[in-house]
Amino acid sequence: MDIGNFHIRRRFPRFSTVCLKKEFQCKEIVGAEVGVFEGENAKNILEELNIKKIYLIDNYFFCKEYSKDRLNKAKQKAENRLKKFKQISWIYKDSEEGIKEIKEKLDFIYIDADHSYNKSKKDIELAMSKLNPRGLLCGHDFMNQEVARAVLELKDSFKLNLKTHHDGDWVLLKNDK
């Protein structure tokens, strides 16, 4: 991202990817990313982990923060960035519909979609229902108050442990780990 004369680079691998790598080591895993945008995080996940299959969910049609033209460019960038990976199953729907479309249990889900409280909470609840018993739920933008509120509430209701990182990532873990 360019800001004036400064160029800001995101840090990869993200904290959640490091946690996933530690948890699953070299095991072949199936996961999902909800909110792909330009595909930087998805590419990193595919390069860092032993991914059997990954569902990439993004509708690229509506976002309060971006114009339709910007979303089209983000979609093209993501598809070009990720075209060499054969493990991808694209789902071009909003997060709720996309998560519901997945029929198998997943080892992880990474959420970085709508940052409103209600949508974040709904995404987390739906994601929890799609995880294997030892699966990890991860996400981004914990520094956003609405996302943090949803994560903290659901952490308590599902009796999970929470790890956060200064890069904005969060990871929910079962208490027995």
Side-chain angles (χ1 to χ4, degrees), residues 22 33 38 52 61 66 95 97 104 130 141 168 176:
K22 182 179 176 185
E33 181 177 31
E38 293 181 346
K52 179 180 181 180
F61 299 116
Y66 300 106
S95 57
E97 292 174 34
E104 64 185 305
K130 297 293 180 176
D141 294 303
D176 62 339

Side-chain angles (χ1 to χ4, degrees), residues 124 142 147-156 162 170 172:
I124 294 168
F142 192 76
V147 171
R149 181 175 152 215
V151 171
L152 290 169
E153 284 180 13
L154 291 165
K155 168 193 89 73
D156 292 339
L162 172 66
W170 53 269
L172 291 173

